[in-house]
């Protein structure tokens, strides 16, 4: 009995010694700055920085392979803390927010066919380029909603994606997932947007939708500093908006596709009551 105890004790000591030697031999030295970076990053592991997660981004920062301003959820505060850890200077980028450039919901936009497939915009787009007649309109199947790690997107009751401006971090994941480039990033301070993504002529737009931009240029004439034309599509000149003329431009838009978003959590300003077949 005593001999067995001695034997087992000896084996235990030897095993412990071997484990200690192995731990010392194969120990991985972690840069303390990596730990510090992980503490200041948002921890969302959203991938908006272009890396698989926060740990990968931290290692890329230390290796000098990544810019310090890629953590969109963390914003300017995280950037400042990253710069302090790395001992570098960094200028915060302008905060951005996602915008759904479409008002063509089920009541206003015409369908090409009745889609009964997988509830995924990318899958629907592959079937005859999508069920919506407008080739640039929101399909409303929620791929952007599924890929938003911050719960900032939803599909409203009439099949259109909407952004919660309080929750959106401007990470851009929804932009990258949308097969029709309906979503875009705009300066977070901008509240007025042209909610259309079609560059087609007025004749085509009228066939598609009662809420699309007709390219009539009335907004440009009313507020030349605030709007420009991109082919047949009016767009806001972000950073150059003239509040004195903006309201007149919005009022003149025949399809009411220019909207002003509330500064707080309200997602979309109330839209004029327009029904199918009543487009101008």
């Amino acid at each position: 009995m005593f001999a067995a105890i001695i034997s087992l004790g000896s084996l235990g000591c030897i095993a412990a010694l071997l484990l200690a030697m192995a731990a010392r031999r194969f120990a991985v030295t972690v840069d303390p700055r990596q730990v510090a970076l992980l503490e200041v990053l948002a921890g969302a592991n959203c991938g908006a920085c272009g890396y698989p997660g926060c740990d990968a981004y931290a290692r890329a920062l230390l290796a000098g392979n990544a810019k310090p301003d890629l953590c969109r959820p963390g914003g300017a505060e995280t950037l400042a803390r990253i710069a302090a850890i790395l001992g570098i200077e960094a200028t915060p980028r302008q905060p951005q927010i996602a915008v759904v450039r479409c008002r063509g919901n089920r009541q206003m936009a015409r369908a090409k066919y009745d889609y009964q497939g997988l509830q995924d915009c990318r899958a629907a787009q592959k079937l005859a380029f999508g069920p919506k007649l407008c080739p640039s309109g929101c399909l409303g199947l929620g791929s952007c909603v599924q890929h938003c790690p911050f719960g900032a997107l939803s599909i409203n009751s009439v099949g259109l994606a909407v952004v919660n401006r309080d929750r959106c971090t401007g990470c851009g994941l929804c932009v990258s997932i949308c097969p029709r480039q309906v979503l875009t990033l705009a300066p977070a301070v901008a509240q007025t947007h042209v909610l259309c993504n079609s560059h087609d002529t007025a004749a085509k737009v009228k066939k598609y939708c009662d809420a699309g931009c007709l390219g009539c240029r009335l907004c440009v004439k009313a507020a030349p500093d605030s709007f420009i034309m991109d082919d047949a599509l009016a767009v806001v000149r972000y950073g150059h908006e003239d509040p004195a003329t903006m309201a007149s431009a919005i009022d003149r838009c025949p399809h009411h596709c220019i909207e002003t978003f509330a500064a707080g959590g309200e997602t979309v300003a109330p839209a004029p009551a327009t029904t199918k077949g009543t487009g101008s």
Side-chain angles (χ1 to χ4, degrees):
M1 180 67 180
F2 182 74
I5 293 174
I6 294 296
S7 297
L8 289 174
S10 300
L11 288 173
C13 290
I14 292 171
L17 180 61
L18 290 174
L19 287 174
M21 293 173 63
R24 187 168 184 177
R25 174 68 177 82
F26 299 107
V28 177
T29 302
V30 178
D31 189 328
R33 294 179 301 167
Q34 182 176 340
V35 178
L37 286 171
L38 284 173
E39 290 177 350
V40 302
L41 291 176
N45 287 312
C46 61
C49 57
Y51 293 88
C54 296
D55 185 65
Y57 180 43
R59 284 187 273 111
L61 284 168
L62 286 176
N65 297 327
K67 294 181 179 179
D69 61 347
L70 300 182
C71 184
R72 302 284 182 87
E77 181 180 349
T78 294
L79 173 61
R81 298 175 74 180
I82 290 174
I85 293 170
L86 298 179
I88 61 175
E89 292 185 3
T91 303
R93 68 171 66 192
Q94 187 181 50
Q96 294 183 304
I97 196 166
V99 176
V100 180
R101 296 181 296 176
C102 182
R103 286 188 62 239
N105 57 42
R106 285 197 294 265
Q107 297 173 341
M108 297 182 178
R110 295 158 186 81
K112 190 190 310 178
Y113 59 88
D114 184 20
Y115 178 72
Q116 297 290 333
L118 185 68
Q119 294 299 294
D120 183 277
C121 299
R122 295 162 299 178
Q125 179 67 12
K126 291 180 180 178
L127 185 61
F129 302 103
K132 233 171 193 175
L133 194 59
C134 174
S136 306
C138 174
L139 293 175
L141 297 176
S143 294
C144 55
V145 177
Q146 297 168 15
H147 283 79
C148 178
F150 307 103
L153 281 152
S154 60
I155 302 297
N156 65 15
S157 60
V158 282
L160 201 65
V162 293
V163 178
N164 185 313
R165 293 170 65 87
D166 276 351
R167 294 182 177 179
C168 181
T169 65
C171 70
L173 288 176
C174 57
V175 176
S176 64
I177 207 70
C178 178
R180 292 185 155 199
Q181 293 81 49
V182 177
L183 282 144
T184 189
L185 291 178
V189 296
Q191 294 182 310
T192 300
H193 307 278
V194 177
L195 302 187
C196 182
N197 185 39
S198 173
H199 289 74
D200 285 333
T201 61
K204 289 185 176 179
V205 171
K206 288 180 179 179
K207 292 180 181 178
Y208 302 150
C209 179
D210 297 328
C213 176
L214 300 176
C216 62
R217 304 178 63 88
L218 288 177
C219 58
V220 176
K221 294 176 183 175
D225 292 333
S226 304
F227 296 91
I228 58 173
M229 297 302 298
D230 181 6
D231 296 329
L233 178 65
V235 295
V236 176
R237 294 183 69 212
Y238 295 120
H240 299 276
E241 297 96 327
D242 179 9
T245 57
M246 184 69 84
S248 175
I250 295 172
D251 186 59
R252 292 188 184 187
C253 179
H255 267 189
H256 308 288
C257 56
I258 306 172
E259 288 194 14
T260 298
F261 289 63
E266 189 72 16
T267 53
V268 182
T274 305
T275 57
K276 188 179 293 185
T278 61
S280 57

